[in-house]
Amino acid sequence: MDLLKILLASFILISLSSVSARTIETFDLSCTGTEAKCLDVRSDLESKINGGLDSSAIKDYLNLVLYDNSISKLSFNTEDSKLNINISFYKKVESFKILHLTEVDTTAIERLVGLSEGSFYKKDVLEKAKEQVLNYFIERGYTNASIKLQTSEKDYRVSIEFNVTTGSFTKVKDIEVVSKSPEGTISLISRRFNKFQNKVWNKIDLKFEVERLAADLFNQGYFSSTVSTLEPEIINDSFVKLRVKIDLGDKNSFSFHGNNIFTHQEILLGLKESIKSNLGAFSEEDLRTLVVKMYENIGIFNTDVSVYRNLGTDKDGQSFINYFFNIHEGIKIITNSLSFVGNIDFSIEEIRKHYYDNSTVLATRGFLDLNYVNSFSSLLREKYLRSGYVQVDVSKPRITYNKLRTRVDIEYRIKERQKANLERVSFNGVPLVFRDDIRKLLTNKKNKPVNVLEVDSDIDKTVQFLKSKGYFFAVANKLKSKDVLIYDPSFTIANLNIDINLGDKVTFNDALISGYSKTKRIVIEREMEFSQGEILTPEKVQDLKNRLTSLGLFSSIEIKPLFDKETKNYNLLIQVQEKDFGTAFFAPGYRTDIGYKVSVGTNYNNIGGMNRIGTLRAQVNRRDSYRAFDARRRSEEKDMLEFYLRGNLTEPYFVPELFGNKLEADLGFSVERKRYYEFDADRLRISPTLSKKFNDFFSASLKYQWERINQYDATSDINNDDFNIGGITPGVSLDFRDDPISPRRGSFFSLSVEFANKFFGSMDNDTIKVNYYKLVSRNRFYYPMGNFVFALSASWGVQKNFANQTKVDALGNPILDADGNIQTEGYIPSIKVFRLNGVDIVRGFAEDEINILLNDTDIGDTVIRDKAYFANLKFEARYSVTDTFVMGPFLDAGRVFVDKFQPLKLRSAVGLTLKYITPVGSLDFDYGVKTRRFRRDAQGRESFGRFHLSIGFF
């Protein structure tokens, strides 16, 4: 709480000390702030007074109110039973810009001065920001800079502009390099400073350049070089002469002979790192020892390294030292024997197993690994400590080489001493009712060996258990080690003392929310799932913070309980800072399936302050390949732009009074022109959706979609048609993934079924009846193993035409289509037939290759009068190179079928994937190779493989 609020609180306390307690019945509020904030204050006051408020309780109430860090001023007085309150809120920063006519980059300073969007507009912060920005320009040479402040206000939010006038400034006339090193070498180096000539004297850039030069000289072998700036020479008010001092010292170079295991660069890097850590000082023996040590660290011993040096000067007079290394690489030393002396409780077999279970690859294979051999003393001691041997001593390894130094004997000496058993666990400050439950959680148990390594963990388990029971502020009292575990004189019996400062049991009374202005209070309140009197735990508070974070409205969120002296309960203080609600993008690019494209879009995720999300996106693309089309359309090479315009409006809480919390409504529309395998199509689509997340795992949705589709330029006459397709699609999903963006473990299951018929607006006339269902199941599994994650996706679907009655002529004879097939009253429109593309593409195949049926025709050439199926399998072994790069091999398989599902006849491909992970998904670069290539009559033999670029992965 800042000084102003402390003074306000003190004033309230003094004022109330002279007022006799009386019941407050009415109030008068003078509020300066946003309409939403003032309405919330009025609502809180009405609730408080209706619940009973007397003058003696005003102090405690207003103390809680002052925790709202958006309050700038607060004063009050009472008149009999009336409370008069004056309250003002800070305005918020809408935007902050630094305007200037220089080359100085102000992006960083704009973020650091405390005037970011959504922050409070405070005079002291503004003045400090002006000072920081002014210093920023002065440091970069504009010593006479000045700032003119301009502000504009709208809806209690302030836009701020700093107009920087540079005034007169100092330029660099010349740069002098002062050095005793040879002129020829220095002249080359000094050219680096020429970029400062006739530029504004930027001290920061000069400092960075000096530091970069020092690093570069070291990397070039000038290990003892120094670079520094001297006092500049002031020529006049407008110009300055810079002076830089450079001492190079000797130039060192290294040559290695006989090295096969390490490359030249690897040895050189190791030497440079060691020399840098010693501040440039080294000797020949240091270098020799370091190279030997590098080999020993990877298990190569008896390496013989000799070093000699050659001194001289180059044509410019620069002195140099060339170091020549002759390396005779050693061999791996075999571990001849591994023995342990002094062990009683643990058998040699158990200890040897412990040795090899934790060993490096080198040690596991029976070779000497000095680093591991030395570290095993600690590992073995930990094993004894976990078993109650609190005074155990494990010696450093005794290593004995044979005469040829090709084999080694390793021996560890152990002094077990006595074992300590736990006689009891004592609690101080822990309610009796919980003690037995806590004892069950502890690693250290009565009448079992003491595990000293788990004592801290047991204390933490006790604290976390109590927090889960509502003792939010429970902490462990810090005791001396001798008071936590108390041993008898023989060190065979121990008592564990756990001392807790319990604190209050925290129950929820009310919420104090601050920091919002554009966002309505109800948006935050409806995320709180606490009832009055419910116990509060850190886990529940963190869950609330996670829910608020997931709204995407706030840049920071702080939540903590505050004690309410009047009710003797706790209020939950929630302090938020809003962030920018709107974004826009422009994204030119290229995709392997649609060619060159330009995308634009915008979204706003807090419409009306109610977290309603609106998006609008458009895209235009032009294909550079016609492979995705049938033979006729490929040969025509028709050049046509494709496009779409899509919009969405999302209401996260749809009529909560009727449907309860978290029923999300979404209204989407799209207009698009798209080219398909056998035809082109214009589509108008409207799709309202209701979805609800019932818990952390289970969610369900219900979607209605109506489409008007105009298909043209079709190869088959039956596909030159117009369709109205209306359908309803219920869906359910179970999500057990640890992270929906980049999962490492867990699983995901989804099932949806689309029903399209005349009752939902589909066509039903003499030409065609649209009546079908379409079921799709998608299932994903993730299993981690070290740095690998094994990911499996298994998807399949079936669709069936219900309008399958045979069409007959006036004589009752079946009517045949152009291909001689019996016509039915309806069929599944081609645009709705399964096709492997997008998320279902089999990597390594083009779209016109993977959508071929068993009869060697494309599924787009087939009229689906009965059933169609698809199956798709993807397997990846993902290796995390870094937090943002993932790579690994993959295996894909899939196929489409008509009338009969034949899962054993899937097409497959293998390949390599590289993924760049971002906060919203991944950018995937995949190359797949077919496991078997076929020759097709029309196109000849299939391609060997294919590159794929896509966004997002399973």
Side-chain angles (χ1 to χ4, degrees):
M1 190 182 298
D2 58 26
L3 179 60
L4 173 62
K5 293 185 178 178
I6 294 174
L7 293 174
L8 286 171
S10 301
F11 171 75
I12 293 168
L13 179 62
I14 294 170
S15 299
L16 287 173
S17 64
S18 61
V19 179
S20 58
R22 62 176 64 89
T23 302
I24 302 299
E25 297 178 356
T26 61
F27 71 92
D28 181 67
L29 174 65
S30 174
C31 180
T32 304
T34 64
E35 182 180 353
K37 291 290 292 185
C38 291
L39 285 174
D40 290 339
V41 172
R42 183 174 295 279
S43 176
D44 285 345
L45 276 171
E46 288 175 349
S47 175
K48 197 70 179 176
I49 290 173
N50 291 337
L53 176 67
D54 60 50
S55 57
S56 63
I58 294 176
K59 177 192 71 173
D60 294 333
Y61 169 65
L62 292 182
N63 275 336
L64 289 173
V65 171
L66 285 172
Y67 273 99
D68 186 342
N69 56 8
S70 63
I71 296 174
S72 61
K73 295 180 182 178
L74 187 149
S75 63
F76 84 100
N77 62 67
T78 59
E79 299 175 1
D80 295 328
S81 60
K82 183 180 180 182
L83 174 63
N84 300 310
I85 288 186
N86 292 287
I87 188 169
S88 297
F89 292 92
Y90 286 114
K91 298 171 185 177
K92 284 202 168 183
V93 176
E94 176 69 19
S95 64
F96 172 59
K97 296 179 181 177
I98 301 175
L99 305 179
H100 58 96
L101 298 175
T102 75
E103 297 178 354
V104 175
D105 183 2
T106 57
T107 306
I109 193 69
E110 285 177 355
R111 293 196 303 264
L112 298 175
V113 295
L115 294 176
S116 58
E117 184 191 359
S119 60
F120 295 123
Y121 178 67
K122 298 180 180 180
K123 297 292 185 182
D124 58 334
V125 174
L126 188 65
E127 290 302 317
K128 185 177 179 181
K130 287 175 63 177
E131 182 181 346
Q132 288 176 291
V133 173
L134 198 60
N135 289 334
Y136 192 79
F137 277 87
I138 290 173
E139 289 173 346
R140 284 154 181 79
Y142 297 95
T143 54
N144 295 304
S146 62
I147 294 176
K148 182 180 179 182
L149 171 66
Q150 287 187 335
T151 61
S152 59
E153 183 179 337
K154 182 181 180 181
D155 298 331
Y156 219 66
R157 296 176 77 89
V158 182
S159 297
I160 305 169
E161 288 184 355
F162 283 1
N163 287 286
V164 180
T165 303
T166 57
S168 60
F169 46 82
T170 305
K171 282 189 172 183
V172 177
K173 183 68 174 177
D174 194 11
I175 301 103
E176 178 187 2
V177 176
V178 180
S179 178
K180 295 180 180 179
S181 299
E183 184 178 345
T185 306
I186 290 298
S187 64
L188 292 173
I189 297 174
S190 62
R191 293 176 185 175
R192 295 179 59 143
F193 295 97
N194 289 344
K195 61 186 176 184
F196 293 103
Q197 278 188 305
N198 298 316
K199 297 289 182 67
V200 176
W201 179 18
N202 190 323
K203 297 178 183 178
I204 300 299
D205 284 353
L206 179 63
K207 176 176 178 290
F208 288 159
E209 185 61 33
V210 166
E211 291 174 351
R212 284 193 292 267
L213 175 57
D216 290 345
L217 289 175
F218 182 91
N219 289 329
Q220 292 170 20
Y222 296 98
F223 298 139
S224 59
S225 62
T226 60
V227 184
S228 60
T229 55
L230 301 176
E231 189 70 23
E233 179 183 331
I234 306 299
I235 299 175
N236 53 43
D237 292 340
S238 301
F239 290 98
V240 67
K241 179 180 180 180
L242 301 183
R243 302 172 70 232
V244 181
K245 183 179 180 181
I246 303 175
D247 288 326
L248 294 178
D250 296 324
K251 183 176 183 179
N252 301 272
S253 63
F254 302 92
S255 178
F256 307 101
H257 302 279
N259 53 301
N260 295 308
I261 296 174
F262 288 114
T263 65
H264 172 94
Q265 195 63 31
E266 287 171 332
I267 301 176
L268 182 60
L269 182 61
L271 293 178
K272 284 185 176 181
E273 288 178 351
S274 177
I275 294 170
K276 183 181 291 186
S277 65
N278 289 325
L279 303 178
F282 63 94
S283 67
E284 293 176 42
E285 180 58 25
D286 293 334
L287 299 177
R288 192 197 69 80
T289 302
L290 179 63
V291 174
V292 170
K293 197 69 177 175
M294 288 178 65
Y295 279 93
E296 288 182 351
N297 285 339
I298 63 168
I300 304 298
F301 295 88
N302 304 326
T303 298
D304 181 45
V305 179
S306 60
V307 184
Y308 69 94
R309 63 179 183 169
N310 180 30
L311 285 70
T313 57
D314 63 17
K315 63 180 182 179
D316 294 320
Q318 172 62 46
S319 61
F320 63 81
I321 305 176
N322 293 331
Y323 290 89
F324 296 91
F325 291 74
N326 285 318
I327 302 172
H328 297 281
E329 294 178 336
I331 59 172
K332 293 179 181 178
I333 295 180
I334 298 172
T335 301
N336 189 54
S337 66
L338 178 64
S339 59
F340 305 92
V341 178
N343 56 299
I344 299 173
D345 194 38
F346 291 118
S347 67
I348 289 178
E349 289 73 17
E350 286 180 274
I351 300 176
R352 287 177 65 87
K353 184 177 185 301
H354 189 60
Y355 179 91
Y356 287 111
D357 284 347
N358 295 279
S359 66
T360 61
V361 173
L362 196 64
T364 301
R365 293 176 177 175
F367 295 107
L368 175 62
D369 184 337
L370 269 181
N371 291 330
Y372 177 69
V373 168
N374 288 322
S375 68
F376 183 70
S377 296
S378 297
L379 292 174
L380 183 55
R381 184 171 183 272
E382 287 180 5
K383 181 176 177 64
Y384 272 98
L385 290 175
R386 293 182 186 280
S387 300
Y389 291 93
V390 296
Q391 291 187 307
V392 67
D393 179 50
V394 179
S395 70
K396 291 183 179 180
R398 181 178 178 182
I399 303 172
T400 306
Y401 298 87
N402 66 355
K403 290 182 179 180
L404 297 177
R405 292 183 65 87
T406 57
R407 292 179 175 271
V408 68
D409 297 312
I410 304 171
E411 180 182 276
Y412 295 90
R413 293 185 175 272
I414 305 164
K415 293 181 181 179
E416 291 183 348
R417 298 189 174 92
Q418 58 272 26
K419 178 190 289 189
N421 286 318
L422 189 64
E423 186 175 57
R424 69 172 180 269
V425 179
S426 301
F427 296 100
N428 181 34
V430 178
L432 290 172
V433 67
F434 298 135
R435 295 185 180 184
D436 287 343
D437 290 333
I438 293 174
R439 287 188 178 99
K440 294 176 183 177
L441 297 174
L442 304 184
T443 301
N444 283 287
K445 298 186 182 298
K446 184 178 179 180
N447 298 326
K448 297 292 183 181
V450 175
N451 185 341
V452 296
L453 299 179
E454 293 295 329
V455 169
D456 288 342
S457 174
D458 285 342
I459 294 174
D460 185 61
K461 288 176 183 177
T462 302
V463 171
Q464 295 307 317
F465 177 88
L466 293 171
K467 285 179 179 289
S468 72
K469 297 301 180 182
Y471 296 96
F472 196 97
F473 301 105
V475 294
N477 292 319
K478 292 185 177 180
L479 302 177
K480 295 181 179 178
S481 298
K482 64 183 182 63
D483 296 326
V484 177
L485 272 174
I486 301 175
Y487 299 94
D488 71 342
S490 66
F491 276 85
T492 59
I493 296 176
N495 293 322
L496 174 59
N497 294 322
I498 299 178
D499 191 12
I500 301 295
N501 184 357
L502 192 62
D504 294 333
K505 191 170 187 177
V506 178
T507 57
F508 178 74
N509 177 53
D510 201 355
L512 303 174
I513 307 172
S514 70
Y516 62 95
S517 58
K518 289 186 177 180
T519 306
K520 303 291 187 185
R521 182 186 177 97
I522 184 63
V523 172
I524 300 172
E525 288 180 332
R526 64 194 182 189
E527 297 297 329
M528 295 188 295
E529 301 173 350
F530 307 125
S531 56
Q532 198 165 36
E534 180 181 346
I535 64 170
L536 289 176
T537 67
E539 184 178 9
K540 290 180 180 179
V541 171
Q542 185 60 45
D543 287 344
L544 171 60
K545 185 174 182 178
N546 292 342
R547 290 196 296 273
L548 292 176
T549 301
S550 67
L551 298 179
L553 302 178
F554 309 112
S555 59
S556 69
I557 302 169
E558 296 293 333
I559 306 176
K560 61 182 178 181
L562 290 175
F563 184 65
D564 186 339
K565 292 182 180 179
E566 182 185 359
T567 63
K568 307 301 180 186
N569 288 322
Y570 279 81
N571 296 314
L572 207 55
L573 175 64
I574 304 173
Q575 296 175 310
V576 300
Q577 182 171 328
E578 294 172 326
K579 64 181 182 181
D580 188 4
F581 302 127
T583 59
F585 71 88
F586 172 75
Y590 176 81
R591 278 175 41 183
T592 53
D593 55 344
I594 63 172
Y596 299 97
K597 62 96 177 178
V598 175
S599 304
V600 295
T602 182
N603 75 284
Y604 192 86
N605 64 344
N606 199 14
I607 298 174
M610 292 297 292
N611 195 30
R612 298 185 183 100
I613 303 170
T615 64
L616 190 64
R617 299 191 177 192
Q619 178 176 291
V620 177
N621 70 277
R622 179 181 179 183
R623 296 177 186 260
D624 62 342
S625 170
Y626 302 97
R627 289 202 54 176
F629 305 147
D630 63 20
R632 176 190 68 85
R633 288 158 60 80
R634 275 198 302 270
S635 64
E636 290 178 352
E637 296 187 356
K638 181 179 178 181
D639 189 10
M640 187 173 89
L641 291 178
E642 300 172 74
F643 65 85
Y644 70 69
L645 174 66
R646 296 172 184 166
N648 273 86
L649 178 63
T650 302
E651 168 60 78
Y653 285 81
F654 182 66
V655 195
E657 301 83 1
L658 182 61
F659 296 106
N661 289 345
K662 282 294 186 183
L663 179 65
E664 184 176 289
D666 180 273
L667 177 61
F669 79 90
S670 68
V671 178
E672 67 177 43
R673 172 168 291 173
K674 187 174 180 180
R675 309 197 71 186
Y676 294 87
Y677 176 76
E678 201 192 38
F679 56 86
D680 300 326
D682 294 336
R683 304 173 71 176
L684 169 65
R685 181 187 310 164
I686 300 173
S687 55
T689 305
L690 294 175
S691 57
K692 184 175 179 64
K693 188 173 182 179
F694 291 90
N695 52 45
D696 291 339
F697 311 108
F698 178 67
S699 58
S701 64
L702 182 64
K703 176 181 179 181
Y704 173 77
Q705 182 170 289
W706 183 86
E707 293 181 83
R708 173 65 179 174
I709 304 168
N710 176 28
Q711 297 180 183
Y712 53 91
D713 192 23
T715 302
S716 302
D717 289 340
I718 196 171
N719 283 324
N720 274 320
D721 207 343
D722 296 338
F723 299 94
N724 291 338
I725 303 176
I728 191 169
T729 307
V732 295
S733 65
L734 288 168
D735 192 348
F736 302 104
R737 296 172 295 181
D738 60 343
D739 183 349
I741 300 298
S742 180
R744 288 188 55 84
R745 67 172 68 247
S747 55
F748 174 84
F749 308 92
S750 72
L751 182 69
S752 64
V753 187
E754 178 186 358
F755 298 95
N757 54 54
K758 65 180 181 179
F759 300 107
F760 302 118
S762 293
M763 293 180 65
D764 187 0
N765 53 40
D766 294 339
T767 303
I768 182 176
K769 292 182 179 181
V770 176
N771 186 2
Y772 68 88
Y773 81 83
K774 183 178 184 179
L775 182 148
V776 176
S777 172
R778 301 189 184 279
N779 312 282
R780 299 167 184 175
F781 307 88
Y782 308 90
Y783 182 78
M785 184 177 292
N787 284 334
F788 279 94
V789 174
F790 296 101
L792 172 67
S793 171
S795 303
W796 64 276
V798 57
Q799 54 188 163
K800 179 176 174 58
N801 172 42
F802 289 118
N804 52 11
Q805 293 77 16
T806 302
K807 276 189 174 183
V808 296
D809 58 19
L811 300 176
N813 297 317
I815 299 175
L816 305 180
D817 61 19
D819 296 326
N821 299 314
I822 296 176
Q823 293 189 33
T824 54
E825 291 183 347
Y827 53 88
I828 300 176
S830 296
I831 207 165
K832 289 292 186 177
V833 174
F834 289 132
R835 194 167 185 86
L836 295 181
N837 54 24
V839 68
D840 293 317
I841 192 69
V842 176
R843 290 166 291 185
F845 287 82
E847 190 176 331
D848 65 326
E849 294 174 326
I850 194 57
N851 288 291
I852 302 301
L853 300 172
L854 294 175
N855 62 6
D856 202 32
T857 62
D858 193 285
I859 192 170
D861 294 331
T862 304
V863 179
I864 308 301
R865 301 187 185 277
D866 187 17
K867 290 182 180 180
Y869 306 86
F870 91 93
N872 184 268
L873 296 172
K874 297 176 184 288
F875 176 79
E876 291 182 351
R878 299 171 180 167
Y879 178 78
S880 297
V881 180
T882 67
D883 290 340
T884 55
F885 283 99
V886 175
M887 66 180 299
F890 67 78
L891 168 65
D892 283 9
R895 198 156 198 172
V896 287
F897 305 92
V898 173
D899 294 337
K900 185 178 181 181
F901 185 51
Q902 301 182 61
L904 298 181
K905 295 188 177 182
L906 302 182
R907 301 294 308 276
S908 59
V910 296
L912 187 68
T913 180
L914 174 64
K915 305 175 188 295
Y916 175 66
I917 309 299
T918 73
V920 294
S922 73
L923 183 62
D924 290 17
F925 303 87
D926 304 319
Y927 188 81
V929 177
K930 300 176 181 66
T931 56
R932 186 179 179 187
R933 298 163 65 191
F934 289 93
R935 183 176 296 279
R936 297 176 57 197
D937 294 338
Q939 285 79 31
R941 195 175 188 191
E942 293 176 326
S943 63
F944 176 75
R946 187 172 174 83
F947 171 76
H948 298 267
L949 174 62
S950 58
I951 298 175
F953 67 102
F954 69 91

